[in-house]
Amino acid sequence: MNTQLSVQAAANVQTWLSDNYDLTTKASIQDLQNKNNKELEDAFYTNLEFGTGGLRGLMGVGTNRMNIYTVGFTTQGFANYINKNFSSASVAIAHDSRNNSRLFAETAAQIFSANGIKVFLFEALRPTPELSFAIRQLKCQAGIVCTASHNPKEYNGYKAYWNDGAQIIGPHDTNILNEIKTITRVDDVKWKGNATLIEPLGVAMDKAYKDMVKENLCVNKAVIQKQADLKIVYTPIHGTGITLVPSLLEELGFKNVQVVKEQEHPDGNFPTVIYPNPEEKEAMQMGLNHAKKIDADILLGTDPDADRISIGTKNNNGEWILLNGNQTALIVFSYCIKALKEKGELTQPHFIVKTVVTTDLIDIVAKKNNVGCYNVLTGFKWIASLIAEKEGKEKFIAGGEESFGLLIGDKVRDKDGISAVAVICEMVAYYKNQNKTLFQALCDLYKEYGFYYESLLSITKKGKEGKQEIQALMTNFRNNIPSQICGIAVQESIDYESQTAYHHITKTSRKIEIPKSNVLQFVLVDGSKISFRPSGTEPKIKYYFSVNISVTDNFNYEEMAQKAETKIQAIIKDLSLAE
C-alpha cells in the first residue's frame, strides 16, 4: 500500500512535473507515483543539501538525488558566488569512473562557462588529488570533482574546492548554500555553455603532478635504487588510480609493479566488488590473492577517486592481512619523521595533523620526536585549513585520518592516495633494506611507543527514517552519559557540538577550541576512548573505539590484539551499540 507523501515532498513533486524539466524525468516521477510512494517520498522530501564535501547521494530523479538538475542548481549557485567574489575567475573540473560522472562534470563545465567563468576540464577521468593540485597549479579560484569516493555504485557526488585547493569551509560553504537556495526553477540555470571558455586538461597536468610527487614527496630516494625489484601489487578497484599509479611507480624506479588485471579497467558498476571501498577486505581480496600467489612485498589499493589508500602486508605468521587506517597513518607518519630526522631536516618546527578519532599513539610518537601534532575534526578540509594557518611558521610533514586518508607534503590540499602510494613503496623498500617486513616495522613501533588498538563499528540507517534514527541515537548518548562502561569509570565526556568537555572526576569543564560538529567522545580512566559520529557523506552512524594495553618484553601482536578486541566487544555489548 502506498504511503502518503509529506507536504514538502508533494510540493517538490508538483514543481518538477509543472516546471521545465525534461519529459524523461517527468515520466520517471509518474512511474514512481504509480508504483512506489515510499521511494518517491525519499527522493523528494528534502533537497540534497550542499554541505560537508559538497553533494553526495543516490542517483535518480528528485530533489534528494544526484542528477543533472541538482548538479545544475548547485553549479549555478556556486558560479554566482564565485562571480561575486572575483572580477575574473577560473575553475578546474575532474571526475571519477562512476556512472554519470562525466555527464555531471560536463554539465557543470557548461554552466560555469555560461556564467563567464573559465573552465579547465580534464579530458577524462582523473584522481581527486590531481584536481586539488591543478587548482593550485593553474591559480584557479575554485574547482569541483564529480565523485562519491568509495560509496556503492548507486551513488555519486560533487566535491567543491576553493582557490587554495582545499574543500570548501566556512564562511564560503554557508554563503554558497545561500546562493544555491535562490535557484528555484530550471530556467534560473544558465545551461548553454561557452565553448571558447572550456579548455581540456590532459598529460601536461599529469606530468606536472607526477614531477611534484617525485621531487617533493619522496624523502629517501636512495632506498628505491637498492630495491628496484620490490614486488608491488596494485589495484585501482576499477577507478582513477590506473591513470597515474603504474606510470608513477615506474618513473620512481620500481621495475616490478603488477596491477590486478580483473580490477584494472575503470568501470562505474564496480563488477568485481560489493563496495569499491579499500577499507573492506572484500574489495581487496583479489589483490590479496595475487600478492600471496607471487609472494609480493606489498599490496596497495586505492578507491575510485584515488584519494584513499589501503595496505596489504604479511604478518609475523606469513599470512596476508590488511592494515587498518590507524595503523597505516601511524607507520607512514613515523617513517616520514624518521626519514627527515636521518637527513637532518628536522631542525625547524615541523608538524603533523590527524583527526580526533584517529589513534592517539600518533600524538605520542610526535611528542617523543619533538614534532608538533594537531587534532582536527574529521574531514581533510580541516587538515588543509590548519596547513594554511601554519604556513610560514611551521613546516607540514603529513596529515591523515583513520578512514584511510593520507596527505604527504603540502602541494596538494586533500587526501592523496597517489603520493601515498609513492611514499609507502619507498617505506617498504627502506625496511626491506633492513631485512624487515612492514608488519615487523609496525610491531617495532608498538614495542617502542606502546600498544594501541582501534576498531570501527558502522551502522547503516538509510532514507528519511534512518536519518531521524541516527539523530535520536546521538541525542540519547548526550542525555544519558554513563558513569562507567564495563566497570571502568568515565573520566571525561567531550561534546564537539557544544564545544565543551566535562571531567567527571574533578567535576570541571573546559572549552574545546575546534569548530562545532556532531561528535561525542567518552574517555575512560584507563585511557580507552569511545567516539560517536554520524557520517557526513553516508547514511551511517559510526562508533570508534580505542584501547591500549601495557607492552611486556615478550611482545606478541596476536595476543595483544585479541585482548584488545575482547575489551572492545565488551564495550559494544555494555553500550548496546550493535544491531
Side-chain angles (χ1 to χ4, degrees):
M1 183 177 177
N2 276 352
T3 57
Q4 186 71 30
L5 288 185
S6 64
V7 172
Q8 186 60 61
N12 286 339
V13 167
Q14 183 56 40
T15 297
W16 278 49
L17 288 174
S18 60
D19 202 358
N20 196 21
Y21 290 82
D22 68 89
L23 294 179
T24 301
T25 293
K26 291 181 178 182
S28 296
I29 296 171
Q30 290 164 344
D31 189 53
L32 286 175
Q33 285 178 316
N34 294 329
K35 296 178 180 177
N36 196 335
N37 252 26
K38 186 175 181 180
E39 185 177 333
L40 188 66
E41 170 71 21
D42 192 57
F44 281 96
Y45 84 95
T46 189
N47 291 330
L48 190 63
E49 189 163 298
F50 183 91
T52 302
L55 302 174
R56 189 175 298 186
L58 291 165
M59 289 181 280
V61 297
T63 58
N64 192 35
R65 295 287 186 263
M66 282 292 298
N67 49 65
I68 61 168
Y69 297 108
T70 51
V71 167
F73 283 34
T74 298
T75 303
Q76 184 61 56
F78 196 6
N80 290 350
Y81 185 69
I82 291 169
N83 282 332
K84 284 184 177 180
N85 280 271
F86 303 100
S87 57
S88 177
S90 64
V91 299
I93 300 177
H95 66 86
D96 69 3
S97 59
R98 288 179 177 272
N99 297 329
N100 294 317
S101 282
R102 183 68 189 180
L103 171 64
F104 295 156
E106 290 177 341
T107 297
Q110 293 295 318
I111 295 167
F112 279 126
S113 67
N115 283 273
I117 297 171
K118 171 78 174 179
V119 177
F120 295 98
L121 175 64
F122 277 95
E123 62 187 3
L125 75 167
R126 288 297 191 280
T128 288
E130 188 176 359
L131 181 276
S132 174
F133 174 78
I135 292 169
R136 297 174 62 81
Q137 185 81 353
L138 298 168
K139 295 180 171 54
C140 294
Q141 282 62 53
I144 65 164
V145 58
C146 295
T147 177
S149 190
H150 58 288
N151 281 64
K153 64 182 180 181
E154 296 84 7
Y155 284 77
N156 215 316
Y158 178 110
K159 291 168 69 173
Y161 294 76
W162 203 236
N163 59 5
D164 58 351
Q167 289 185 51
I168 299 287
I169 60 172
H172 303 304
D173 53 359
T174 301
N175 293 340
I176 293 168
L177 177 58
N178 290 336
E179 289 289 344
I180 294 168
K181 286 178 178 177
T182 68
I183 313 300
T184 60
R185 299 181 63 85
V186 174
D187 292 342
D188 292 340
V189 179
K190 297 178 181 178
W191 298 97
K192 188 172 176 56
N194 180 348
T196 65
L197 290 178
I198 301 176
E199 181 177 327
L201 292 180
V203 293
M205 187 56 66
D206 296 341
K207 182 180 185 304
Y209 173 82
K210 289 192 287 185
D211 285 348
M212 176 273 295
V213 175
K214 289 184 286 184
E215 293 302 318
N216 297 319
L217 298 185
C218 294
V219 291
N220 200 341
K221 297 172 189 173
V223 302
I224 296 175
Q225 297 172 351
K226 296 178 183 178
Q227 295 293 344
D229 290 327
L230 196 76
K231 287 184 185 177
I232 301 167
V233 174
Y234 169 68
T235 174
I237 316 181
H238 305 291
T240 61
I242 194 64
T243 62
L244 293 182
V245 169
S247 60
L248 172 62
L249 291 178
E250 182 180 354
E251 291 171 27
L252 286 168
F254 292 108
K255 307 298 183 185
N256 193 358
V257 179
Q258 298 190 31
V259 179
V260 177
K261 293 297 181 185
E262 300 91 336
Q263 297 178 326
E264 180 176 11
H265 298 294
D267 189 334
N269 292 314
F270 309 113
T272 65
V273 298
I274 298 172
Y275 299 110
N277 184 354
E279 297 179 52
E280 304 287 345
K281 185 177 180 181
E282 180 268 334
M284 294 292 290
Q285 192 60 56
M286 285 184 171
L288 288 167
N289 293 343
H290 191 68
K292 181 179 180 180
K293 181 180 178 181
I294 69 167
D295 192 28
D297 293 298
I298 189 71
L299 163 67
L300 296 164
T302 51
D303 65 342
D305 69 326
D307 63 352
R308 295 173 193 255
I309 181 75
S310 180
I311 299 177
T313 183
K314 283 185 283 190
N315 65 13
N316 292 331
N317 299 320
E319 302 161 332
W320 276 91
I321 62 165
L322 298 176
L323 300 187
N324 64 41
N326 288 289
Q327 293 171 325
T328 298
L330 170 66
I331 197 166
V332 170
F333 284 18
S334 301
Y335 171 71
C336 289
I337 292 171
K338 178 195 288 283
L340 290 171
K341 209 170 184 179
E342 289 180 356
K343 291 174 69 179
E345 294 184 8
L346 278 180
T347 53
Q348 66 184 97
H350 283 66
F351 72 101
I352 58 176
V353 192
K354 70 180 190 67
T355 64
V356 295
V357 294
T358 303
T359 179
D360 292 336
L361 187 51
I362 290 173
D363 300 72
I364 296 170
V365 172
K367 185 176 181 180
K368 289 192 175 181
N369 286 279
N370 297 313
V371 170
C373 182
Y374 299 96
N375 285 271
V376 297
L377 294 173
T378 299
F380 254 75
K381 61 184 182 180
W382 301 114
I383 293 175
S385 178
L386 192 64
I387 295 171
E389 180 186 326
K390 299 289 181 182
E391 206 158 15
K393 304 169 190 172
E394 299 175 41
K395 188 170 177 58
F396 175 73
I397 299 174
E401 55 188 3
E402 55 72 40
S403 55
F404 291 69
L406 290 173
L407 173 60
I408 317 296
D410 64 358
K411 303 302 181 185
V412 170
R413 297 296 170 91
D414 201 358
K415 296 186 289 290
D416 188 350
I418 307 298
S419 59
V421 164
V423 173
I424 290 166
C425 288
E426 176 195 304
M427 176 175 65
V428 175
Y430 174 88
Y431 286 119
K432 191 171 184 182
N433 278 340
Q434 300 178 359
N435 296 313
K436 289 182 181 179
T437 66
L438 200 61
F439 194 81
Q440 288 169 335
L442 177 65
C443 289
D444 287 346
L445 290 174
Y446 289 136
K447 293 174 190 176
E448 182 176 359
Y449 296 105
F451 185 75
Y452 278 63
Y453 184 90
E454 292 78 26
S455 185
L456 170 68
L457 173 64
S458 292
I459 295 179
T460 299
K461 302 278 188 181
K462 292 184 177 180
K464 180 182 178 181
E465 293 176 359
K467 191 173 183 179
Q468 293 168 343
E469 286 180 45
I470 289 171
Q471 187 52 50
L473 284 167
M474 291 299 294
T475 300
N476 182 59
F477 290 130
R478 284 193 168 91
N479 294 340
N480 298 282
I481 297 171
S483 59
Q484 59 180 31
I485 299 172
C486 294
I488 306 165
V490 174
Q491 177 174 287
E492 190 174 43
S493 55
I494 307 170
D495 191 340
Y496 292 91
E497 191 163 75
S498 65
Q499 296 176 300
T500 57
Y502 182 73
H503 199 289
H504 295 263
I505 310 299
T506 62
K507 310 296 184 186
T508 56
S509 298
R510 62 185 175 91
K511 183 75 173 172
I512 302 296
E513 300 297 333
I514 286 181
K516 288 184 179 183
S517 184
N518 191 13
V519 180
L520 182 66
Q521 291 181 322
F522 299 155
V523 182
L524 311 188
V525 292
D526 69 348
S528 300
K529 183 187 290 184
I530 305 102
S531 305
F532 310 81
R533 185 183 77 88
S535 172
T537 56
E538 301 172 274
K540 293 180 178 180
I541 183 167
K542 295 186 174 184
Y543 305 113
Y544 304 81
F545 309 93
S546 176
V547 298
N548 56 85
I549 300 174
S550 298
V551 176
T552 62
D553 291 337
N554 299 317
F555 178 84
N556 182 295
Y557 175 85
E558 285 73 21
E559 288 181 5
M560 300 284 278
Q562 185 56 55
K563 286 181 183 178
E565 185 61 37
T566 300
K567 189 172 184 178
I568 288 173
Q569 290 305 316
I571 291 171
I572 291 172
K573 184 177 180 181
D574 195 34
L575 290 174
S576 302
L577 300 180
E579 288 188 314

